[in-house]
Amino acid sequence: MSLPRNALRSIPALTARRTLTTRVLASSLRMSPTQNIAKRRLHATIQQFQAATAVAPTTTQASHEKIASPADTTNFIDNQFEASQTSQWIDLHDPATNNLVTRVPQSTDAELRAAVESAQKAFPAWKATSIMHRQQVMFKLTALIRENMDRLANSITIEQGKTFADAKGDVLRGLQVCETACGITTQFTGEVIEVAKDMETRSYREPLGVTAAICPFNFPAMIPLWSIPLATVTGNTLILKPSERDPGAAMILAELCVKAGIPPGVVNIVHGSAKTVDFILDEPAIKAISFVGSNKAGEYIYTRGSANGKRVQANLGAKNHAAVLPDCNKNHALNAIAGAAFGAAGQRCMALSTLVLVGKETQQWMPELAERAKNLTINGGFEADADLGPLISPQSKKRVEDLIASAEQEGATILLDGRGQKPSDPKYSEGNWVGPTIITNVKPHMKCYTEEIFGPVLVCLNVETTEEAIELINANEYGNGASVFTRSGPTASLFQHTLEAGQIGINAPIPVPLPMFSFTGNKKSVAGTGMANFYGKDGIRFYTQWKTVTSLWRAEDALATQKETSMPTQS
Ligand code: NAD
């Protein structure tokens, strides 16, 4: 079902209709004990009806107008949106206005346990479903996400702040993981060899059990969708904790999972901050954790989760460099850099935040880059002219402004200063705005270079030669992505082979691989060994474990064989 962009207004009506119909159906359940079969059929009808009409109680209005009575975010357990009994709420504000959008619960201990019990209970039956059935569910989920693209994007723009067009990109990149998961029937085949006469060894992959995902704020749809399709299509159940700063898109995805036919308990959603994360880290029933977020949280989660015997995949922070060579297509490079540095207000793990200018000539291009950056419009994400929206919170805005100030104090040049910039409409006067900012003459020891800024700030360093550029980029401890802009094939090849970052762009500013590949950041941009990449083949491996079976079916009657007590050598 696709809802219009102002769907919020229709939600009370839908809910009321659902309640009424449920009551009518329920009253007919009060029948004599002899009518048990009819009762069960009716009960199934009620469940199907509730599943078909359950609407995530999220705000999806397509504007930054103040919401008259913001609805609280609920838990999602056993395919039900249930109000939390918590006394601890986290206020979620629209970053463009700082008006209240919803209150997010710190799910209670009982609710967290209920989610685990639900996921544990659902696992055996879900694991036992055929791969064809799970593929069909993925087909439906894929279609539903596409139908609900605008509604998901509305939620993202209100809660996260990115522009509506960019929010649709957020959904699309997650949808692509779902689409790729539809190919599970060919991706999931095992291996078999006849190792001796009448003896075969086969290896195939089985799901792990209950898994969990802990998500960051910057991609409220894409990152939940790095986990939901692959965890479930491989037969696991999943407990997802969205960012407490923007859980709305994940709640809509939960609704779509129900409509796609995912049974109760296969996907549950709980909320909160560190307390919920600690529960996930220590709960023995949870076998694997997918984490995406900052280094501070991720290194802690990886260490504690691994110590508790869980499989952990953890994608962390970044400092992505682009080397600009004088022989590049200048117009293409400057446009690509402006888009990748300032789009989404720089709040992307693959934002191009660091420029390495090779040779004097490229340094002369900086005023032109500043001109292009200046022409980008900061505005509320629903405004037609918006190129970038606000930062996620007042604390984030202050942190970004402080880092710009530190660069000034350490001797860098603020070529373009976005501090104090805000949209002209007074309704946005309280938003968390910082305009595009360019800092030149940066040196590697400066704080603006050593820290991930996660704002619309581009730091620029100067080097003389290609070799110096490679050395500088490789000396950085992060390894998410790096790009090079050049027209020379041999130079591009040199960068490709010598840069240590895990995702390389050649004349491509944000080289995030599509989900037929894996997301392959490395160095300090991942925790652990980097063997547990998100999506692609590695994603399937992460959510499954090998089972290897050796079987002997003798050609002659098995009952006639002699007992063997020595070690089988299979020779
Ligand atoms: P964050 O680490 O603050 O939050 C991520 C999750 O961890 C949230 O669900 C949050 O509730 C939880 N969390 C936060 N602090 C915690 C703590 N002390 N203990 C336990 N749990 C905690 O990250 P964020 O600000 O939401 O996201 C931005 C960061 O994510 C940036 O550093 C960005 O580079 C990174 N990121 C990385 C990738 C990638 O693929 N490498 C993708 C997106 C974002």
Side-chain angles (χ1 to χ4, degrees):
M1 182 177 64
S2 155
L3 290 184
R5 280 176 66 175
N6 62 354
L8 185 69
R9 282 187 211 108
S10 62
I11 287 176
L14 264 176
T15 310
R17 208 172 67 214
R18 179 183 132 201
T19 310
L20 183 68
T21 315
T22 305
R23 279 203 200 117
V24 171
L25 288 168
S27 70
S28 35
L29 278 181
R30 287 190 278 280
M31 291 180 278
S32 76
T34 53
Q35 291 170 302
N36 270 341
I37 296 172
K39 255 189 189 179
R40 276 204 298 274
R41 280 197 190 130
L42 260 168
H43 196 69
T45 312
I46 290 174
Q47 282 186 335
Q48 276 169 9
F49 178 78
Q50 285 180 327
T53 56
V55 176
T58 54
T59 301
T60 51
Q61 72 180 34
S63 84
H64 292 287
E65 295 308 322
K66 192 169 179 161
I67 300 163
S69 9
D72 288 341
T73 296
T74 67
N75 292 313
F76 177 74
I77 299 172
D78 264 342
N79 277 7
Q80 302 289 326
F81 294 102
E82 285 173 1
S84 173
Q85 301 306 308
T86 191
S87 55
Q88 286 172 269
W89 294 92
I90 302 157
D91 286 349
L92 189 160
H93 297 106
D94 176 345
T97 59
N98 273 309
N99 292 330
L100 186 70
V101 174
T102 181
R103 294 189 313 161
V104 181
Q106 169 53 61
S107 299
T108 65
D109 289 349
E111 289 158 3
L112 296 172
R113 273 197 307 277
V116 171
E117 279 160 22
S118 163
Q120 274 182 301
K121 200 166 137 230
F123 175 62
W126 182 242
K127 178 188 172 191
T129 55
S130 72
I131 196 148
M132 300 301 286
H133 175 77
R134 296 201 297 267
Q135 185 192 39
Q136 286 300 323
V137 171
M138 271 317 117
F139 282 136
K140 285 185 197 139
L141 183 60
T142 299
L144 285 162
I145 294 170
R146 197 172 281 285
E147 278 173 34
N148 284 268
M149 176 90 73
D150 283 7
R151 183 174 160 223
L152 283 156
N154 286 340
S155 164
I156 293 171
T157 298
I158 292 170
E159 293 189 356
Q160 200 274 355
K162 63 178 74 172
T163 66
F164 183 68
D166 195 31
K168 289 216 277 193
D170 184 329
V171 181
L172 185 69
R173 291 308 295 252
L175 174 63
Q176 288 164 340
V177 179
C178 212
E179 286 170 339
T180 307
C182 291
I184 192 68
T185 43
T186 47
Q187 296 158 6
F188 211 43
T189 47
E191 297 164 2
V192 58
I193 299 182
E194 189 171 19
V195 289
K197 182 172 180 303
D198 297 338
M199 182 177 273
E200 267 182 7
T201 296
R202 66 184 59 228
S203 259
Y204 57 92
R205 302 198 70 90
E206 290 203 318
L208 304 175
V210 180
T211 63
I214 301 165
C215 305
F217 81 85
N218 64 329
F219 281 98
M222 179 183 85
I223 289 178
L225 286 169
W226 282 5
S227 290
I228 295 171
L230 285 186
T232 59
V233 82
T234 50
N236 298 282
T237 56
L238 175 72
I239 297 169
L240 187 124
K241 190 202 88 65
S243 170
E244 63 275 32
R245 299 194 262 184
D246 47 22
M251 299 307 285
I252 298 170
L253 290 172
E255 175 195 316
L256 304 182
C257 284
V258 180
K259 293 194 169 104
I262 288 194
V266 173
V267 174
N268 292 312
I269 298 187
V270 293
H271 300 286
S273 46
K275 185 169 177 275
T276 305
V277 171
D278 283 346
F279 173 86
I280 291 170
L281 292 174
D282 295 341
E283 168 54 54
I286 295 174
K287 304 298 178 207
I289 299 174
S290 297
F291 171 83
V292 181
S294 65
N295 280 70
K296 184 166 171 254
E299 282 158 17
Y300 163 73
I301 287 167
Y302 182 84
T303 306
R304 186 157 160 180
S306 303
N308 285 339
K310 299 180 197 310
R311 206 177 265 199
V312 185
Q313 57 179 180
N315 271 9
L316 313 179
K319 202 82 185 171
N320 306 305
H321 295 62
V324 180
L325 279 85
D327 68 349
C328 75
N329 176 332
K330 178 180 153 194
N331 187 43
H332 167 71
L334 295 186
N335 283 337
I337 290 160
F342 307 120
Q347 298 176 117
R348 292 183 183 134
C349 63
M350 285 292 279
L352 216 170
S353 58
T354 310
L355 214 53
V356 181
L357 301 163
V358 183
K360 292 272 177 293
E361 186 187 338
T362 57
Q363 292 169 31
Q364 311 305 319
W365 300 349
M366 287 303 96
E368 209 174 315
L369 179 65
E371 207 48 47
R372 291 179 201 211
K374 220 196 285 184
N375 287 335
L376 296 173
T377 305
I378 60 166
N379 213 343
F382 294 112
E383 310 294 345
D385 64 349
D387 291 309
L388 59 145
L391 292 169
I392 186 71
S393 65
Q395 294 76 9
S396 177
K397 171 178 150 83
K398 178 166 185 321
R399 199 182 149 273
V400 169
E401 288 176 341
D402 287 352
L403 279 164
I404 300 170
S406 78
E408 222 168 5
Q409 283 149 19
E410 289 185 290
T413 310
I414 312 295
L415 180 66
L416 179 67
D417 194 346
R419 289 171 294 180
Q421 210 181 318
K422 58 170 70 169
S424 52
D425 187 332
K427 109 170 148 215
Y428 297 125
S429 61
E430 298 303 314
N432 315 315
W433 306 102
V434 176
T437 298
I438 298 177
I439 309 175
T440 53
N441 300 317
V442 171
K443 301 280 183 293
H445 68 273
M446 294 179 181
K447 210 171 158 195
C448 67
Y449 180 72
T450 55
E451 285 197 19
E452 182 184 32
I453 300 180
F454 226 53
V457 181
L458 179 67
V459 300
C460 310
L461 297 91
N462 305 327
V463 296
E464 289 306 317
T465 64
T466 301
E467 290 71 21
E468 275 179 69
I470 292 169
E471 209 173 298
L472 174 74
I473 298 170
N474 283 346
N476 194 278
E477 51 190 352
Y478 290 103
N480 229 23
S483 293
V484 57
F485 289 90
T486 178
R487 276 199 185 101
S488 154
T491 306
S493 178
L494 180 69
F495 273 89
Q496 176 187 326
H497 292 294
T498 51
L499 286 182
E500 291 168 359
Q503 302 173 112
I504 304 294
I506 296 172
N507 298 315
I510 306 186
V512 178
L514 286 167
M516 52 293 262
F517 302 95
S518 295
F519 189 105
T520 56
N522 59 23
K523 295 168 78 176
K524 204 180 150 182
S525 295
V526 290
T529 56
M531 291 290 286
N533 293 313
F534 281 78
Y535 61 79
K537 288 183 188 136
D538 286 359
I540 292 175
R541 272 195 282 272
F542 178 77
Y543 280 115
T544 53
Q545 56 196 347
W546 283 114
K547 180 168 275 180
T548 307
V549 181
T550 298
S551 57
L552 173 65
W553 296 103
R554 287 204 193 280
E556 60 268 31
D557 183 355
L559 292 174
T561 59
Q562 285 188 333
K563 264 193 208 148
E564 285 183 17
T565 51
S566 52
M567 179 73 179
T569 58
Q570 284 139 15
S571 56

